[in-house]
Amino acid sequence: MSRSRCTRPVLCGSCSSSPLCFLFQSEYHYEYTACDSLGSRWRVAVPHTPGLCTGLPDPIKGTECSFSCKAGQFLDMKDQSCKPCAEGRYSLGTGIRFDEWDELPHGFASIATNLEIDNSFSDSTWVPLGDYVASNTDECTATLMYAVNLKQSGTVSFEYIYPDSSIIFEFFVQNDQCQPTVEESRWMRTTEKGWELHSVELSRGNNVLYWRTTAFSVWSKVPKPVLVRNIGITGVAYTSECFPCKAGTYAATSGSSFCKLCPANSYSSKGATSCQQCAPDAYSGSSSCKPRPPCTDKDYFSTHTACDASGETQLMFKWAEPKTCSEDLPTAVQLPPSGVKTKCPPCNPGFFKTNSSACEPCPSGSYSNGSGCISCAAGTEPVLGFEYKWWNTLPANMETTVLSGINFEYKGIAGWEVAGDYIYTAAGASDNDFMILTMVVPGFRPPQSVMEDVENKEVARITFVFETACSVNCELYFMVGVNSRPNTPVETWKGSKGKQSYTYIIEKNATMSFTWAFQRTGRKYTNDIVKLYSINVTNVMDGVASYCRLCALESSGSCTSCPSGNYIDRASGACHPCTPSTYLKAHQPYGSQACIPCGPGTKSNKIHSLCYNDCRFSLDKDGRTLEYDFSALPNSTSFAGGPSFTSKGLKYFHHFSISLCGNHGRKMATCTDNVTDMRVSDGEAEFSKSVTSYVCQSIIVPSDVMGYKTIVSSQPVSLADPFRLGQRPSIRLRCDPLKTGSGALSVPSKCPDGTCDGCTFHFLWETSAACPLCSAYDYHAIVSACLGGIQRTTYVWREPKLCTGGVPLPEQKVSICKTMDFWLKVGISAGTCAAVLLTVMTCYFWKKNQKLEYKYSKLVMNSTAKDSELPAADSCAIMEGEDVEDDLIFTSKKSLFGKIKSFTSKVGAHPLCCCWGSSCHQLPRSQTSL
């Protein structure tokens, strides 16, 4: 029966109704069914195009599930036996490898989604770029997936570059139940030294591998993508085909488990069994030879040899490696002659020249200016550090290399070259290379006062003088690493920069690495260079000294350290404490002038290492003095501004942390970066990066937005470090008695990131702790009525109460008082007495008036008598209307009360007389009643 191609696709299950047709062997492939409970399986033929089903070979019993092939072999599914790979191909045996990324390999899938708006984007996926696959750089979540079924336990390994923490990069594996296998190791760490290898164990059965990235940079700078290459998986039991060697590699023999790199100046194509040598006038790429251009002055560089016994060095010129130019072409420049001798520069401070003209460090207790070592005088000690300003050879604690800007691999060539009074960047090997210079310092030995300071503000410092010359775009990075952890960029310079100095304060006593990385646009711009003139590091452990300084003396005359807060007297070498409210220059503690007065409103801590605000101050307003105490707000207080959104809709928040004052000057506000070291729970998190300051800011992406179990905190930055320097944030405190404790912090409603001009940050802090301290002015007294002889005085706050703390309300006062009944009785008694007295006086004056009328009438009668007539005889008898006591009262001339008494006494108490003419006779007492 002849073979013919089906004219229309035929669905399986309807083959009986379709015309009989057969498939060529190239139109189907073999696969094994899943293993049953006995470890058996079947081999079946599967068409490449769904719907073609007739003419397929019948299923046959397959190999045992435990069957596997060795490295360099593959399983021929036709006869189910292991066969060696042909030349130009390789096999891992029980594994597979993906090292070519011209396109996504079969079985891989790349998708992009926005978790917040539930949408997918086709332009934000992982992109194959030849030797590696690159992630997205926007806010979408891009996922690279690969599913594999392992017949036995195995591993997955891959190399990656993760340079930018503005991208979240995670790798995890899910099993049949869609559960992650190892949750703790899914968060990848950033890399600073090229490609790093990551490996994870896989379980038997189905495994789905996920590489997932999400960028959330809120600044204008686009983050650098994550790169992944050389993905290898073991435990698949067999591979049904061998993989061809990629361009630039070859496999000369059959049964190879890997491909070899082509020798220098040779190339190979994909699946090559050998490499082809390039002609002398060409240089090799990976898969072809390229003609050599004529050499220019940018293709070579100069360097100096080590000093010889005569103290001379030779100027040497070398071609930049690998050499890709030709000096035989008519327009090519020639390499300048080498060997010109010049006098060696002096040794760096702290070193001396040996007989062989090599520079060696001075012994302990001595110093040097670069010529000879001098012992420190009595009462002085060497100031240890590193000071490099002469560059005849690379110092022993420094190394240089080149990092490829294409495949991010290190090359065995020098990236920096010495040039006598400076060190500069070399040509590099290819475009976009990084010229790397690294210096390692084992540790520091700061003054004793600095070590006891819990803040450790300045353990040491590094200062370097540099200059950049760029004709096009170029960048210089200065990076710092702590205790072998990845380097973190702390400063970047772009373009040409004049000769200048930069200082970095070291705040941790640890092993530190300092890296200078320079990247130019292309190798043809080799005149774009960086020159480092000098590097100075202070307080280096086991360093060298360029001078000696005064020290505190023990009784034996040897040097010692002064206690914290003590300065050294220059004359006697004795230690003297600083006066209160002063802080000490820890690195220059000589003389009383080293104790610097604190500023207004501040005082020094116990060890006089710094001045701080004690959170108290006074304010005169409206004729009274307001006292404030913010000591209730010493610890760090955090809050988030309003939500912001990126161009693609990613929601994020600006998170602020503020430590207002107090804490004896310690910085309490901490902002973290947990992107490269996230954990399942916040309590177990160990953040890889953090910023401690008085005011700091970070970017927060909520966990519900990113789909993670914890929030994402990134890009921490200090807004006030120290608080008194730089652009000061404006913090306004508003008294609000209803907001107790830390109160509430907010930023301007129109500026959710805290600043409206990009420079000054504004914060409003509403809290009861912002109210002035209470005083006697803030309360008044209320006096109660007198009840039961007791009266109470109660003190209450004036409303509204706008004070806190300070003077407390006085206790209620209780006093004895007289009730109303008592005073009523007293009033009635006094009124009665007054009435009686008034009645008596009324009667008295009435009587007095009667007597005066009588006498007046008597006088009138006497005055009317004739002069010749004798006056009528006075009668001793009591006339009608005349009281017997009248004459007596009138003549007695007593006081008013005496008169009253006399008026009320008996008449018989005084003798009476009766006069007639010139003679008078005393009447007997018994006749006085007549």
Side-chain angles (χ1 to χ4, degrees):
M1 182 179 295
S2 62
R3 295 180 178 268
S4 63
R5 180 129 182 128
C6 293
T7 58
R8 58 184 176 88
V10 181
L11 297 176
C12 291
S14 61
C15 294
S16 59
S17 61
S18 64
L20 183 62
C21 58
F22 296 91
L23 298 180
F24 292 100
Q25 188 173 352
S26 60
E27 296 179 294
Y28 64 88
H29 63 278
Y30 291 107
E31 289 184 4
Y32 281 123
T33 62
C35 296
D36 56 22
S37 59
L38 300 177
S40 301
R41 56 187 174 183
W42 291 82
R43 189 202 70 176
V44 296
V46 179
H48 295 317
T49 303
L52 301 180
C53 57
T54 57
L56 293 175
D58 294 331
I60 63 173
K61 189 172 181 63
T63 60
E64 297 295 327
C65 290
S66 59
F67 177 83
S68 63
C69 293
K70 297 180 180 180
Q73 296 180 341
F74 73 99
L75 179 62
D76 187 350
M77 294 293 290
K78 186 175 181 180
D79 54 10
Q80 300 191 72
S81 62
C82 294
K83 294 183 179 180
C85 292
E87 295 86 349
R89 292 177 170 268
Y90 74 96
S91 168
L92 301 179
T94 59
I96 51 178
R97 178 179 295 165
F98 304 96
D99 53 8
E100 291 188 85
W101 297 91
D102 297 321
E103 60 182 3
L104 282 181
H106 177 71
F108 279 87
S110 178
I111 60 174
T113 58
N114 189 312
L115 295 178
E116 190 169 12
I117 62 177
D118 193 19
N119 201 351
S120 60
F121 301 87
S122 59
D123 58 345
S124 301
T125 59
W126 288 75
V127 180
L129 295 176
D131 292 333
Y132 50 81
V133 58
S135 73
N136 65 321
T137 56
D138 55 19
E139 294 86 5
C140 294
T141 298
T143 305
L144 180 67
M145 299 183 298
Y146 183 76
V148 61
N149 184 276
L150 299 186
K151 306 305 179 182
Q152 57 188 10
S153 299
T155 59
V156 56
S157 62
F158 59 92
E159 295 177 348
Y160 73 99
I161 287 182
Y162 180 17
D164 199 332
S165 61
S166 296
I167 295 180
I168 302 174
F169 178 34
E170 54 178 330
F171 171 75
F172 59 96
V173 181
Q174 289 186 347
N175 55 20
D176 291 335
Q177 288 75 35
C178 296
Q179 296 177 346
T181 54
V182 184
E183 184 76 18
E184 292 78 6
S185 63
R186 67 187 295 170
W187 311 108
M188 309 300 293
R189 297 179 183 272
T190 54
T191 59
E192 297 293 342
K193 296 183 178 180
W195 295 93
E196 291 191 9
L197 180 67
H198 184 70
S199 180
V200 174
E201 294 185 357
L202 301 178
S203 302
R204 178 181 176 181
N206 291 324
N207 292 269
V208 183
L209 315 180
Y210 292 89
W211 293 264
R212 189 164 72 176
T213 58
T214 304
F216 58 95
S217 177
V218 297
W219 316 117
S220 58
K221 184 179 180 180
V222 177
K224 297 180 180 179
V226 176
L227 308 180
V228 175
R229 72 175 186 183
N230 292 340
I231 300 176
I233 303 173
T234 63
V236 296
Y238 71 91
T239 176
S240 59
E241 60 179 344
C242 295
F243 301 96
C245 295
K246 64 180 182 178
T249 64
Y250 71 101
T253 60
S254 62
S256 297
S257 59
F258 63 93
C259 298
K260 299 179 181 180
L261 291 174
C262 287
N265 206 32
S266 63
Y267 73 97
S268 69
S269 58
K270 184 176 180 180
T273 59
S274 63
C275 297
Q276 304 298 320
Q277 190 72 21
C278 290
D281 60 348
Y283 68 96
S284 64
S286 59
S287 59
S288 64
C289 291
K290 301 178 181 180
R292 295 179 183 270
C295 293
T296 66
D297 56 358
K298 300 177 182 180
D299 292 310
Y300 65 84
F301 63 93
S302 63
T303 184
H304 291 77
T305 63
C307 292
D308 56 20
S310 302
E312 293 181 331
T313 179
Q314 297 184 48
L315 180 63
M316 307 296 293
F317 293 93
K318 298 180 180 179
W319 293 112
E321 295 294 339
K323 183 183 177 184
T324 60
C325 66
S326 174
E327 53 188 312
D328 299 328
L329 297 177
T331 58
V333 300
Q334 302 298 314
L335 191 67
S338 300
V340 177
K341 290 189 176 183
T342 58
K343 187 178 180 179
C344 285
C347 294
N348 282 309
F351 292 83
F352 71 99
K353 280 190 177 181
T354 63
N355 294 332
S356 60
S357 296
C359 293
E360 296 290 340
C362 288
S364 177
S366 62
Y367 70 97
S368 167
N369 60 1
S371 56
C373 298
I374 304 173
S375 297
C376 292
T380 63
E381 61 181 356
V383 180
L384 301 181
F386 286 136
E387 184 180 358
Y388 301 127
K389 61 181 181 180
W390 300 109
W391 303 93
N392 185 57
T393 58
L394 198 65
N397 63 336
M398 300 179 73
E399 61 180 13
T400 177
T401 186
V402 175
L403 175 64
S404 172
I406 300 177
N407 56 14
F408 295 94
E409 291 182 338
Y410 283 96
K411 303 176 181 179
I413 58 176
W416 294 67
E417 295 290 344
V418 295
D421 55 353
Y422 60 86
I423 182 173
Y424 70 100
T425 52
S430 58
D431 294 346
N432 302 318
D433 283 350
F434 290 90
M435 310 296 117
I436 306 296
L437 178 67
T438 301
M439 179 177 66
V440 178
V441 177
F444 303 92
R445 185 172 293 169
Q448 183 69 23
S449 58
V450 175
M451 296 179 65
E452 294 184 6
D453 186 1
V454 294
E455 285 298 289
N456 274 342
K457 289 187 179 300
E458 183 179 337
V459 174
R461 61 174 57 191
I462 178 173
T463 303
F464 57 89
V465 179
F466 71 99
E467 177 185 14
T468 63
C470 301
S471 57
V472 290
N473 294 333
C474 67
E475 287 184 296
L476 172 63
Y477 302 89
F478 176 63
M479 300 178 287
V480 177
V482 181
N483 290 332
S484 300
R485 302 193 71 171
N487 290 333
T488 301
V490 296
E491 192 61 69
T492 303
W493 296 270
K494 296 182 179 181
S496 296
K497 300 294 180 183
K499 192 174 182 179
Q500 58 185 278
S501 174
Y502 176 79
T503 299
Y504 175 76
I505 303 299
I506 303 167
E507 298 184 351
K508 293 183 179 180
N509 191 358
T511 300
M512 307 285 289
S513 64
F514 305 98
T515 300
W516 294 263
F518 178 70
Q519 185 183 37
R520 59 173 65 90
T521 302
R523 188 177 178 183
K524 62 181 179 179
Y525 300 104
T526 54
N527 289 337
D528 294 357
I529 62 173
V530 176
K531 293 182 179 180
L532 270 177
Y533 292 95
S534 65
I535 300 175
N536 187 8
V537 188
T538 64
N539 299 332
V540 176
M541 183 184 300
D542 300 328
V544 295
S546 59
Y547 66 97
C548 295
R549 64 185 174 191
L550 292 174
C551 64
L553 297 177
E554 293 181 337
S555 57
S556 61
S558 59
C559 287
T560 185
S561 297
C562 284
S564 299
N566 284 248
Y567 66 89
I568 302 174
D569 183 76
R570 291 183 178 275
S572 62
C575 299
H576 298 282
C578 287
T579 58
S581 296
T582 61
Y583 69 95
L584 181 65
K585 284 184 176 181
H587 298 276
Q588 295 178 347
Y590 306 110
S592 59
Q593 65 273 13
C595 301
I596 303 174
C598 293
T602 63
K603 62 181 181 180
S604 60
N605 57 2
K606 293 182 179 179
I607 61 176
H608 293 270
S609 62
L610 53 84
C611 297
Y612 67 96
N613 190 297
D614 61 357
C615 300
R616 299 174 182 268
F617 76 98
S618 302
L619 175 66
D620 294 329
K621 183 179 180 181
D622 299 333
R624 59 176 294 202
T625 300
L626 300 178
E627 300 287 342
Y628 290 87
D629 183 4
F630 300 142
S631 58
L633 306 172
N635 297 324
S636 175
T637 302
S638 300
F639 76 102
S644 300
F645 299 88
T646 62
S647 59
K648 289 200 174 182
L650 178 70
K651 182 171 67 176
Y652 65 92
F653 297 87
H654 290 275
H655 181 264
F656 301 94
S657 184
I658 297 177
S659 177
L660 184 62
C661 59
N663 298 296
H664 300 281
R666 293 191 299 270
K667 305 171 188 175
M668 301 297 292
T670 301
C671 296
T672 59
D673 180 355
N674 68 343
V675 171
T676 60
D677 193 17
M678 290 192 294
R679 295 292 184 265
V680 177
S681 61
D682 292 337
E684 299 177 355
E686 295 180 0
F687 299 101
S688 60
K689 299 176 184 177
S690 64
V691 170
T692 302
S693 177
Y694 298 103
V695 182
C696 62
Q697 175 194 22
S698 60
I699 303 300
I700 295 294
V701 180
S703 58
D704 57 340
V705 173
M706 302 303 297
Y708 302 135
K709 293 185 178 181
T710 183
I711 63 174
V712 176
S713 175
S714 178
Q715 304 171 18
V717 60
S718 173
L719 302 181
D721 187 15
F723 190 85
R724 61 184 180 273
L725 297 179
Q727 297 175 344
R728 303 177 182 178
S730 174
I731 304 177
R732 293 177 172 86
L733 288 95
R734 177 178 295 172
C735 173
D736 190 339
L738 300 179
K739 296 180 179 180
T740 59
S742 298
L745 275 155
S746 60
V747 294
S749 58
K750 296 182 179 179
C751 308
D753 54 352
T755 177
C756 299
D757 58 4
C759 295
T760 304
F761 287 80
H762 298 274
F763 304 100
L764 176 62
W765 198 338
E766 298 173 288
T767 172
S768 60
C771 299
L773 297 178
C774 295
S775 63
Y777 176 84
D778 297 299
Y779 63 82
H780 61 94
I782 297 178
V783 181
S784 67
C786 185
L787 299 175
I790 296 177
Q791 188 175 55
R792 290 178 171 84
T793 303
T794 304
Y795 298 90
V796 296
W797 296 112
R798 299 182 187 274
E799 293 296 337
K801 182 187 176 184
L802 297 176
C803 66
T804 183
V807 177
L809 279 176
E811 297 290 338
Q812 187 184 63
K813 293 182 179 180
V814 178
S815 59
I816 299 176
C817 63
K818 302 298 183 179
T819 62
M820 190 65 185
D821 294 340
F822 173 80
W823 290 111
L824 182 62
K825 293 177 180 178
V826 172
I828 293 174
S829 301
T832 302
C833 294
V836 172
L837 179 62
L838 182 61
T839 302
V840 172
M841 293 182 67
T842 301
C843 294
Y844 166 76
F845 285 111
W846 182 79
K847 289 288 185 180
K848 188 72 173 177
N849 185 55
Q850 291 293 101
K851 182 187 74 169
L852 291 176
E853 288 182 355
Y854 171 74
K855 288 183 177 183
Y856 176 75
S857 61
K858 191 174 180 180
L859 289 175
V860 171
M861 292 175 61
N862 290 334
S863 63
T864 57
K866 295 181 179 181
D867 295 338
S868 59
E869 294 180 356
L870 292 173
D874 293 332
S875 175
C876 292
I878 299 174
M879 300 300 294
E880 183 180 359
E882 182 179 5
D883 291 335
V884 68
E885 298 91 348
D886 288 345
D887 290 336
L888 179 62
I889 293 173
F890 179 76
T891 59
S892 63
K893 297 182 180 180
K894 294 184 179 180
S895 63
L896 175 63
F897 292 100
K899 292 177 180 180
I900 295 174
K901 183 177 179 181
S902 299
F903 179 80
T904 56
S905 63
K906 294 182 179 182
V907 178
H910 299 277
L912 299 177
C913 61
C914 182
C915 295
W916 181 266
S918 59
S919 60
C920 295
H921 299 278
Q922 182 174 352
L923 295 178
R925 183 174 300 274
S926 60
Q927 296 181 3
T928 58
S929 60
L930 296 178

